[in-house]
Amino acid sequence: ISLSLWAADSYPGIGRSATSKEIAAWDIDVRPDFKGLPPGSGSVAKGMLVWEGKCAMCHGSFGESNQVFTPIIGGTTRQDIQTGHVAALTGNTQPQRTTIMKLSQVSTLWDYINRAMPWNAPKTLSTEEVYAVTAYILNMAEIVPDDYVLSDKNIAEVQKRLPNRNGLQTRHGMWEVKGKPDTGNTACMKDCVKTVSISSRLPDYARNAHGDIAKQNRIIGPVRGADTLA
Amino acid sequence: ISLSLWAADSYPGIGRSATSKEIAAWDIDVRPDFKGLPPGSGSVAKGMLVWEGKCAMCHGSFGESNQVFTPIIGGTTRQDIQTGHVAALTGNTQPQRTTIMKLSQVSTLWDYINRAMPWNAPKTLSTEEVYAVTAYILNMAEIVPDDYVLSDKNIAEVQKRLPNRNGLQTRHGMWEVKGKPDTGNTACMKDCVKTVSISSRLPDYARNAHGDIAKQNRIIGPVRGADTLA
Amino acid sequence: AGVAARARAQDIGDGDPAILNLPEHSKTLGLPVASNPYGLPSRYEKNLQRRESPGLTRVGAASVSFCPLQGMFGIITANGLHFERHHQGWHDIDPQQHRLMINGLVKNPSVFTMDDIMRLPSVSRMHFIECGANTGMEWGNVAVPTVQYTHGMLSCCEFTGVPLSILLDACGIDKKRARFILAEGADGSGMTRTISIERAMDDVIVAYGMNGEMLRPENGYPLRLVVPGVQGVSWVKWLRRIEVGDMPYATKDETVHYIDLMPDGTHRQYTSIQECKSVITTPSGGQMLIDKGFFNISGIAWSGRGKVKRVDVSVDGGKNWRSARLETPILSKCLTRFNMDWVWDGGPALLQSRAIDETGYVQPQMRQLREVRGTKSIYHNNAIQSWQVAETGEVGNVHVS
Amino acid sequence: AGVAARARAQDIGDGDPAILNLPEHSKTLGLPVASNPYGLPSRYEKNLQRRESPGLTRVGAASVSFCPLQGMFGIITANGLHFERHHQGWHDIDPQQHRLMINGLVKNPSVFTMDDIMRLPSVSRMHFIECGANTGMEWGNVAVPTVQYTHGMLSCCEFTGVPLSILLDACGIDKKRARFILAEGADGSGMTRTISIERAMDDVIVAYGMNGEMLRPENGYPLRLVVPGVQGVSWVKWLRRIEVGDMPYATKDETVHYIDLMPDGTHRQYTSIQECKSVITTPSGGQMLIDKGFFNISGIAWSGRGKVKRVDVSVDGGKNWRSARLETPILSKCLTRFNMDWVWDGGPALLQSRAIDETGYVQPQMRQLREVRGTKSIYHNNAIQSWQVAETGEVGNVHVS
Ligand code: HEC
Ligand code: HEC
Ligand SMILES: [Ca+2]
Ligand SMILES: [Ca+2]
Ligand SMILES: [Ca+2]
Ligand SMILES: [Ca+2]
Ligand SMILES: [Ca+2]
Ligand SMILES: [Ca+2]
Ligand SMILES: [Co+2]
Ligand SMILES: [Co+2]
């Protein structure tokens, strides 16, 4: 590998070219078009072993646990897989939004498990294990069958079955600096509203839920913290 | 004492009038015109006792010690007492400027001892002790005789004998924001000087006098600290 | 009102013992300089610290600690109080071993040490950082008591570092094809975020300095991205890599989190900008006014789209408003401190602040946001906050309609 | 150049082990939020701390600790690094027992608790504080090695408090007779300083806040005076009293210290203003450039008379100059950070910076100051500082002629 001087013109002496091995070691991201996805495969069956051995203690055997993080599995239907829209995202049927309800890109799931899981030992899974456990999660969500072997070859097919694949949009003004805001409040100064009523206040049972507020404010100044233990 | 509401118009509820006893307790400053000086007196003889008991351990028996602070006494002459200018402030005869060489107001000495000395027990001297020990310092500097009794009545006379009473001035532009600066450098940009020579650099023996500079600089970045132990 | 007030109001006779009896510190010798080579707050300030909101998250290493805005002044956040948000915990990593890689659509994929980065041209700029989920708990009913928990995922510092544009230019960025960058962290989560190339080449900073010293470990020591005006999750900490690409990366925190659920069941993706917002910090929820009389209502305002132009304050729940004094400096994508005189007559009051930024955008009412976004979008709640002052002097977090 | 550079220059084969072998922190779980409810710098930053200059004073409680400017960024001083100067030590005093008295030429001599003061209208402003004796050791021959010791009695913070004019007005100041005020501290030294009434009614602040939190004990908790542009000794700490009077008070630190000895044997009194000054902090004395090549020369400039207008940098000892980039904000009586590109060719170099303020005043050469003031005036040395870069890369403190 030849080590060329970096930006020799503008900033002599600073930085250097990356070697291809270095890039390979760090360039781990997988894009929605699957650029970055390493070749390989893994079966649902093998994924179940990985899951039970390295994941279930936090996420539950069915990805349903709410102990360490919000549930991964649940809230999606066969119908959703058809439409690519998770119906439960409208209305109040589902108590929490699971990961699979929100997920619009299978690349995201693969990439994230590969880079960050298991939470306490990230970047320790083999490529096969990542394929396998991703397959198993997809299987738990009934997106792929029990005998499925997920691979770089068929992952684009899976994408087409993600329950919420059509659920994300960018029709808003909050990405671009010049984007159009949702609301248009006015800077009225006098007699702006007739009556004001209180629509919500802290419930009494929650008064001390954040600890004694008296101990969270300065002991001098214009105010004291309310003694919420009293 | 009637306790009137303070600034009731502008800032209702904030602050209150000070009582006369409160003002007396804190308004301890003594001005050059001796406003603030409490009535009282103290002799040189008594001052010597105070000095030996409460001051000499830090400032030396003759006010000459350089251990805890620069010397208080020394460097003034009978001649200075006549002129009100300390001659030793010009030239290089005196190794250090003592307090008495610089002092232009006897009120300053009284006020400072009263508010701040002894250093480890400030504001514990009686008024008589302050008069006395001030008298003793003035005596050590040969401004007042051995049998002198300093008092609020005669302190203005002593002021007239301070060696450096005429030595301070305010002919400079550094008190007022609009004052005139001493210098007028120019913002020359090209070929401003012909030759540059080094007139002073850190002596070798002082290289490590501030400890190892390597340990006083960050371990990353454009520079490292020089290893001055090496 | 309270005990303190009654003590002050009583006849004090000769005077206050705290004056008449000189305090010990006036009559003794204090501690030497550099007793603390690195200084710390007074022991009387212990109440002001970062705190978690119980029940918000399940594990401390994938959680947030909130900034105690209820007791803070001005616009600068002291580094010790800067809010924290980690996905896989924080580390105090060895900066000598830290590297930044730039790859993707550049002529010369490169590696930089911290030495390299700190030799490059630097800028220093003051910017706020706000988590996209700040004030998220207010979308529904009132659930938290104080401004620390309603608004405390917010801090503001002077950052120093290299403009990202300098690094990208120097690596020979492919200007024709480059559309987005991916920023990636070195922590366990390998946090990744997509940033548009226009923004990346504008005011984004690869920063190592924060308020005159290095970044704190909790804030990404030795290197983080500063993306002015954009939600904190994009300010990737422990920054190890920038990739230049031609499409968004749809990372976990762009596809599963930091997506805003709309009433129609779709999620908005890449909602980056923190829109104009303000909040009164004194008096605020959970506080007790010590007495009737004069108060300085004080708060902060900010906008991810530029400078704050004006802040109005209402003490009657939005019926009438007065414009507050703005402290200087007023900087783009930075907090602005506002203050307003107020005499509390002891009756009930309803305090609100409303910021306007240089684009003319007026901070919305909660109702206006809900009309468009419903109540489940978690992120980007920049609604006007209401604090109710009761006759007892106690201030409560309320919603009005 | 040094070891680090040689390590970088050698053939790295497959690549840098720090990249090829993923670091531990990428493969493990970090610490939870609020592990430190009040955060601290990285353990790798221990070298940056406040230090005394050995031999400068005899006792630590009447001494100074210097700010480590050699490793600092931007203009804000992190509170833990703020320089210290005490005359009788520092105390962590109980703010509930602290009082401020205003007496003298006012209609209504008054007492305020901290509660009172913090209820009044507040301002927040960024200002530098510099000890009048800063750089005093440079009047003679070079005696100290680094910028920490040459210029480190300097810090810059955002201060919050009540304008003194509000307090004086509210006490009914006697505008006809008032000419000066006396400010007095509550420490053992009962530090006292005279301030002209014009200044007192202008931009002086009775401050309690510093960089968003309360003042640190070492800096006067809970109350200090902020006197923008004026030497630090006037910024009375642990402020307990303001007296309004009609003549200067000639206090110890106006009559025996902080008086500037002139060649004619007289002393200048009340030399308050810190005139326009600048210094390069990177690279600076005692540092070793790690390699040849590009560097960002960085430093700070300030003026007690207003804003910094321009900073010029020379790398040849003042023969030729280039104007540096100024970072924003540029504020009155506040530090301004400057930066300039420089390629070090490995030869000897002589670095200088020269600031110009909005009055048009140009920071003087040492020679020019000495012509007027001689070499024994201790205070107010705002001369251009020279750093010599040797071929080894080592930077030394030098004087030029
Ligand atoms: C020690 C606990 C633990 C273990 C073991 C663990 N996880 Fe996780 N997982 C977490 C936590 C906590 C998060 C949320 C992290 C965050 O805040 O970004 C998470 C997030 C996830 C997510 C993203 C969910 C979402 O909505 O953000 C996926 C997918 C996931 N884990 C899969 C796995 C897989 C697969 C394994 C095993 C190979 C595994 N996890 C092992 C704790 C764990
Ligand atoms: C424990 C040591 C100690 C004791 C005891 C002490 N002093 Fe001091 N004195 C000092 C120090 C240290 C200073 C300088 C303080 C400062 O930095 O402002 C000082 C300053 C002074 C000064 C001002 C000198 C100057 O040039 O600033 C005078 C006058 C003085 N002391 C007189 C007295 C008298 C009178 C007593 C006894 C009643 C006394 N001292 C007891 C340590 C002491
Ligand atoms: Ca190099
Ligand atoms: Ca990639
Ligand atoms: Ca199954
Ligand atoms: Ca009151
Ligand atoms: Ca007085
Ligand atoms: Ca004698
Ligand atoms: Co997240
Ligand atoms: Co002094």
Side-chain angles (χ1 to χ4, degrees), chain A residues 6 16-18 29 91-92 97 108 115-116 172 174 182 185 192 197 199 207 210 216-218 224 226, chain C residues 45 47 53 70 88 108-111 190 241 250 267-269 272 286 288 319 363 373 376 394 399 401:
Chain A
W6 176 87
R16 61 167 177 83
S17 295
D29 63 274
N92 286 309
R97 278 177 282 162
T108 308
R115 71 172 56 243
H172 58 79
M174 295 167 76
D182 283 340
N185 197 7
C192 305
S197 60
S199 53
R207 185 166 165 76
H210 283 71
Q216 303 182 20
N217 277 275
R218 195 166 278 121
R224 298 292 180 278
Chain C
E45 294 293 313
N47 289 354
S53 179
Q70 68 274 22
Q88 225 130 325
N108 198 355
S110 302
V111 169
R241 192 169 66 97
H267 282 96
R268 285 177 170 183
Q269 208 174 6
S272 306
M288 304 271 307
K319 289 182 191 161
Q363 183 183 1
R373 303 186 194 163
K376 295 183 192 158
E394 183 162 341
H399 291 181
S401 65

Side-chain angles (χ1 to χ4, degrees), chain B residues 44 48 136 138-142 144-146:
Chain B
V44 168
M48 185 170 84
Y136 185 64
L138 294 166
N139 173 262
M140 285 193 285
E142 301 181 354
V144 301
D146 292 3

Side-chain angles (χ1 to χ4, degrees), chain B residues 144-165:
Chain B
V144 301
D146 292 3
D147 60 357
Y148 201 73
V149 179
L150 181 68
S151 76
D152 57 308
K153 304 286 180 290
N154 63 14
I155 195 165
E157 297 305 311
V158 174
Q159 171 64 30
K160 294 184 189 146
R161 288 175 54 77
L162 276 200
N164 203 41
R165 67 186 173 279

Side-chain angles (χ1 to χ4, degrees), chain B residues 4-7 10-18 22-23 25-33 35 66-70 85-86 89-92 96-97 99 102-105 108 111-112 115-119 122-123 164 167-203 206-207 209-210 213-226, chain D residues 45 47-48 51 53-54 58-59 61-62 70-71 73 87-88 99 101 103 108-112 116 119-121 141-146 149 166 170-171 180 182 184 187-190 192 199 240-241 243 246-252 255-257 261 263 265-273 275 282 286-290 295 305 310 312 317-321 323 350 354 356 361-365 368-369 372-373 376 378 380 388 394 397-401:
Chain B
S4 73
L5 255 188
W6 177 88
S10 349
Y11 306 108
I14 293 183
R16 62 166 176 85
S17 296
E22 287 174 330
I23 297 177
W26 278 16
D27 182 7
I28 58 169
D29 63 275
V30 181
R31 305 203 307 191
D33 62 356
K35 186 156 186 285
N66 198 19
Q67 288 302 104
V68 174
F69 198 63
T70 41
H85 280 286
V86 171
L89 289 171
T90 338
N92 287 308
Q96 283 195 71
R97 278 178 282 162
T99 306
K102 295 180 283 181
L103 187 76
S104 64
Q105 304 297 140
T108 308
D111 174 279
Y112 180 68
R115 72 170 56 241
M117 288 297 133
W119 196 51
K123 299 179 195 70
N164 203 41
L168 269 63
Q169 45 106 339
T170 56
R171 295 185 302 275
H172 60 77
M174 295 166 77
W175 200 358
E176 309 285 338
V177 179
K178 300 217 157 139
K180 187 174 173 301
D182 283 340
T183 62
N185 197 10
T186 56
C188 168
M189 297 300 282
K190 257 189 100 64
D191 303 324
C192 304
V193 281
K194 285 222 180 72
T195 55
V196 177
S197 61
I198 305 296
S199 53
S200 176
R201 62 175 74 248
L202 195 69
R207 185 167 164 74
H210 284 71
I213 303 302
K215 300 236 168 64
Q216 302 182 21
N217 277 275
R218 195 165 278 122
I219 57 174
I220 51 165
V223 297
R224 297 293 181 276
Chain D
E45 293 294 312
N47 290 354
L48 282 306
R51 292 184 176 86
S53 178
R58 294 151 195 82
V59 279
Q70 68 274 19
F73 314 111
H87 283 273
Q88 225 130 323
R99 304 287 179 267
M101 178 184 288
N103 71 314
N108 198 356
S110 303
V111 169
F112 303 86
D116 291 324
R119 281 172 61 181
L120 286 170
N141 285 322
V142 171
V144 299
T146 76
Y149 307 108
I166 286 190
C171 289
F180 297 94
L182 181 77
E184 182 181 77
D187 63 327
S189 83
T192 35
R199 198 184 276 287
R240 76 164 191 179
R241 192 170 66 96
E243 176 171 306
D246 53 11
M247 65 179 288
Y249 286 81
T251 70
K252 184 200 59 151
T255 299
V256 176
H257 301 283
L261 180 58
T266 64
H267 282 96
R268 285 178 169 180
Q269 208 174 6
Y270 302 112
T271 46
S272 306
I273 294 172
E275 292 184 301
T282 306
Q287 298 184 330
M288 305 272 307
L289 274 59
I290 57 171
F295 284 86
R305 297 202 208 260
R310 195 175 103 196
D312 303 320
K319 290 181 189 162
N320 298 286
W321 299 82
S323 293
L350 209 38
R354 180 183 68 193
I356 307 176
Y361 174 85
V362 182
Q363 185 185 2
Q365 301 163 41
Q368 295 175 307
L369 282 181
V372 184
R373 303 186 193 162
K376 295 182 190 159
I378 298 182
H380 300 107
Q388 186 179 40
E394 183 163 339
N397 180 9
V398 297
H399 291 182
V400 299
S401 63

Side-chain angles (χ1 to χ4, degrees), chain C residues 148-389:
Chain C
Q148 177 159 21
Y149 307 108
T150 58
H151 289 75
M153 292 198 245
L154 173 71
S155 297
C156 184
C157 297
E158 183 189 35
F159 294 97
T160 295
V162 185
L164 178 56
S165 61
I166 286 191
L167 284 162
L168 295 179
D169 271 338
C171 289
I173 179 173
D174 180 341
K175 294 212 167 147
K176 285 237 173 76
R177 292 162 63 210
R179 298 267 328 273
F180 298 93
I181 65 152
L182 181 77
E184 180 181 79
D187 62 328
S189 82
M191 172 58 65
T192 33
R193 284 289 301 190
T194 302
I195 295 163
S196 78
I197 203 69
E198 294 77 34
R199 196 184 276 285
M201 297 299 281
D202 180 14
D203 56 4
V204 175
I205 306 169
V206 174
Y208 44 82
M210 178 164 121
N211 289 341
E213 57 187 11
M214 288 292 284
L215 293 165
R216 294 291 175 83
E218 301 93 315
N219 305 115
Y221 180 86
L223 209 60
R224 89 174 301 171
L225 211 58
V226 167
V227 192
V230 167
Q231 60 187 359
V233 64
S234 290
W235 297 43
V236 173
K237 300 194 281 189
W238 312 289
L239 182 71
R240 76 164 192 180
R241 192 169 66 97
I242 302 273
E243 176 171 305
V244 182
D246 53 11
M247 65 179 287
Y249 287 79
T251 71
K252 183 199 59 152
D253 289 293
E254 294 164 345
T255 299
V256 176
H257 302 283
Y258 302 92
I259 56 174
D260 312 20
L261 181 58
M262 301 296 284
D264 69 356
T266 64
H267 282 96
R268 285 177 170 183
Q269 208 174 6
Y270 303 111
T271 46
S272 306
I273 293 172
Q274 297 301 109
E275 292 183 302
C276 187
K277 185 167 170 181
S278 70
V279 67
I280 293 169
T281 53
T282 307
S284 59
Q287 299 184 331
M288 304 271 307
L289 275 57
I290 57 170
D291 201 355
K292 295 181 207 179
F294 186 90
F295 284 87
N296 181 56
I297 294 180
S298 190
I300 41 182
W302 62 100
S303 168
R305 297 202 208 259
K307 291 185 187 175
V308 168
K309 202 176 65 184
R310 194 175 104 197
V311 179
D312 304 320
V313 171
S314 172
V315 295
D316 59 9
K319 289 182 191 161
N320 298 287
W321 299 80
R322 274 188 299 149
S323 293
R325 302 188 305 277
L326 302 188
E327 298 302 314
T328 50
I330 300 172
L331 300 168
S332 185
K333 305 174 185 176
C334 183
L335 294 192
T336 296
R337 173 64 59 172
F338 65 86
N339 290 295
M340 205 185 71
D341 294 356
W342 179 50
V343 177
W344 183 47
D345 63 6
L350 209 37
L351 311 184
Q352 298 181 330
S353 67
R354 178 183 68 191
I356 307 177
D357 71 17
E358 59 178 336
T359 72
Y361 174 84
V362 181
Q363 183 183 1
Q365 300 163 42
M366 191 68 239
R367 177 183 54 74
Q368 295 175 307
L369 282 181
R370 285 190 183 135
E371 269 166 20
V372 184
R373 303 186 194 163
T375 59
K376 295 183 192 158
S377 63
I378 296 182
Y379 303 101
H380 301 108
N381 183 347
N382 65 324
I384 290 170
Q385 169 71 38
S386 305
W387 304 119
Q388 186 179 39
V389 181

Side-chain angles (χ1 to χ4, degrees), chain A residues 13-15, chain C residues 116 119, chain D residues 5 8 291-292:
Chain A
I14 294 184
Chain C
D116 291 324
R119 283 172 61 182
Chain D
R8 279 211 312 282
D291 201 355
K292 294 182 209 180

